[in-house]
Amino acid sequence: MKVSCALYLEVEAEEELLTLDWDSLPQPVMVLGGGSNLLFTKDFPGTVLHVGIGGITRHADDRVTCGAGVVFDDFCAWAAKEGLWGPENLSLIPGECGASAVQNIGAYGVEVKDILADIRAYDRKEGRFVHIDPATCGYGYRTSRFKTEWKGRYIITAVTYRLSREPRPVLDYGGIRKALLEKTLTPLVIRDTIIGIRREKLPDPAVTGSAGSFFCNPVVPEDVFKKIEGNPPHYEVEGGIKIPAAWLIEQCGFKGARNGGAQVYPKQPLVIVNATGEASPQEIIGLEKQVIDAVQAKFGITLHPEVEHV
Ligand code: EPU
């Protein structure tokens, strides 16, 4: 289903942000990255602003600055080709560099916060450009201050990542080490392996619409964990025990479940897909609710969506 906004603004250079008459724009103003983690549930009454600033610049110390509009995987591909370590485990994540720093994207044991060096943004409150130290951004699992107390304040125009010529393979997640056995490790080899794993499990956004993982993996206290039958996979993290939401959803029999055109993806039930290409927002939200209710009823655990609803 198509939804529309009152105004769509494409920003191609930083100067444009200085000359914008913010008060005359339809409100609210929302900054869109690649849009790959959003679910529009209805028409948006305000302005959708997209920062389309491109460019990848390598500095002498192997920091790399990307315009906020650079497709994140284009940066990953570029780094792997240059033989630079850092983002290879994040290969094929949809979305753009600007959003990578908002969402703290992560995969296969790496989060973008691990390689962030600097964020350049227009501060709407102060009316000027600033550099933000990633240490001040409150990064956590798929979250940051940009999503909470700073929401709406900064418009990110460039992100600088700290890469390295020294090998820094991160191989401890799931089947990566096994998939790489006997291979000479380079950023490109790891990138190709990650791409292979993702293609097996996750829908190709160019073919089947989805917003990637629909839910966050819940972190529960030990007593809640101990009550779960069936020996769930788990990892100890700060604040408790993280259980894959995919496992909980599968135990509830929801793999492949449909609600109209919306479907729990059979190969990775953490993802809800628009299986027919015609699913309405209501069908997706309906399926989301069915999944949350089923997991709540069976395990007493509340799943929270990772996808932002607009
Ligand atoms: N699992 C099942 N049944 C399934 C699939 C998975 O029980 O059908 C269990 C397995 O035990 C498996 C575990 O879930 O070991 C973890 O599965 P997977 O490695 O696919 O990762 P995930 O925890 O489901 C997270 C991220 C993904 C990221 C992968 C790899 C979140 C919300 N999602 O998924 O990120 O690619 O790890 O690091 O943390 C995204 O954010 O959009 C995204 C795809």
Side-chain angles (χ1 to χ4, degrees):
M1 201 189 93
K2 285 208 171 79
V3 292
S4 55
C5 58
L7 179 69
Y8 178 83
L9 264 184
E10 179 77 14
V11 171
E12 271 152 18
E14 284 191 345
E15 305 76 72
E16 293 170 34
L17 291 169
L18 290 170
T19 52
L20 257 185
D21 180 5
W22 294 92
D23 293 336
S24 71
L25 299 176
Q27 300 293 323
V29 178
M30 177 190 147
V31 182
L32 182 78
S36 49
N37 203 45
L38 295 181
L39 174 67
F40 280 93
T41 57
K42 51 184 180 300
D43 286 342
F44 183 69
T47 303
V48 171
L49 186 151
H50 177 247
V51 179
I53 299 172
I56 301 180
T57 310
R58 179 172 178 173
H59 306 281
D61 60 358
D62 295 328
R63 281 176 311 124
V64 175
T65 299
C66 296
V70 170
V71 170
F72 187 80
D73 190 54
D74 289 351
F75 157 63
C76 294
W78 175 91
K81 227 172 116 207
E82 295 282 312
L84 288 174
W85 295 85
E88 58 283 352
N89 288 38
L90 306 176
S91 292
L92 218 60
I93 294 183
E96 298 175 355
C97 291
S100 76
V102 173
Q103 172 75 351
N104 186 24
I105 57 173
Y108 304 102
V110 175
E111 289 183 327
V112 89
K113 73 168 171 54
D114 305 334
I115 58 165
L116 280 180
D118 178 71
I119 297 156
R120 181 166 162 83
Y122 178 71
D123 182 350
R124 286 188 62 192
K125 199 168 150 199
E126 304 280 333
R128 63 187 174 96
F129 281 94
V130 291
H131 284 274
I132 303 172
D133 176 353
T136 65
C137 294
Y139 285 118
Y141 171 47
R142 299 295 196 274
T143 193
S144 72
R145 297 217 158 91
F146 294 110
K147 294 179 79 170
T148 54
E149 68 240 50
W150 291 347
K151 202 171 165 77
R153 175 166 175 184
Y154 294 107
I155 296 175
I156 296 174
T157 55
V159 178
T160 301
Y161 305 96
R162 188 175 291 108
L163 306 191
S164 164
R165 277 177 247 194
E166 298 300 315
R168 286 185 186 168
V170 179
L171 307 177
D172 289 332
Y173 188 96
I176 302 182
R177 194 178 291 276
K178 212 170 105 209
L180 283 162
L181 268 187
E182 289 172 24
K183 289 191 182 151
T184 306
L185 296 184
T186 66
L188 202 53
V189 164
I190 296 183
R191 171 175 165 77
D192 287 345
T193 303
I194 299 283
I195 288 177
I197 295 173
R198 289 184 74 96
R199 288 219 167 109
E200 253 173 50
K201 289 188 181 175
L202 295 167
D204 177 354
V207 180
T208 309
S210 86
S213 298
F214 202 96
F215 301 98
C216 287
N217 289 323
V219 175
V220 302
E222 201 167 338
D223 57 316
V224 174
F225 172 72
K226 279 194 175 142
K227 281 189 211 134
I228 302 175
E229 284 171 21
N231 194 20
H234 59 278
Y235 335 67
E236 271 181 41
V237 294
E238 224 187 287
I241 297 174
K242 193 185 250 190
I243 306 168
W247 186 87
L248 298 168
I249 298 168
E250 180 171 3
Q251 300 304 304
C252 292
F254 265 83
K255 254 188 165 175
R258 280 179 182 260
N259 182 39
Q263 186 186 27
V264 174
Y265 195 58
K267 290 192 215 163
Q268 168 45 300
L270 192 55
V271 178
I272 293 182
V273 295
N274 181 347
T276 56
E278 308 277 324
S280 67
Q282 286 65 36
E283 287 168 348
I284 294 176
I285 297 168
L287 189 54
E288 169 187 5
K289 186 167 182 323
Q290 287 175 27
V291 169
I292 291 174
D293 289 349
V295 170
Q296 180 73 53
K298 192 169 167 75
F299 298 106
I301 295 173
T302 309
L303 291 184
H304 295 284
E306 195 242 1
V307 169
E308 191 182 344
H309 296 48
V310 183

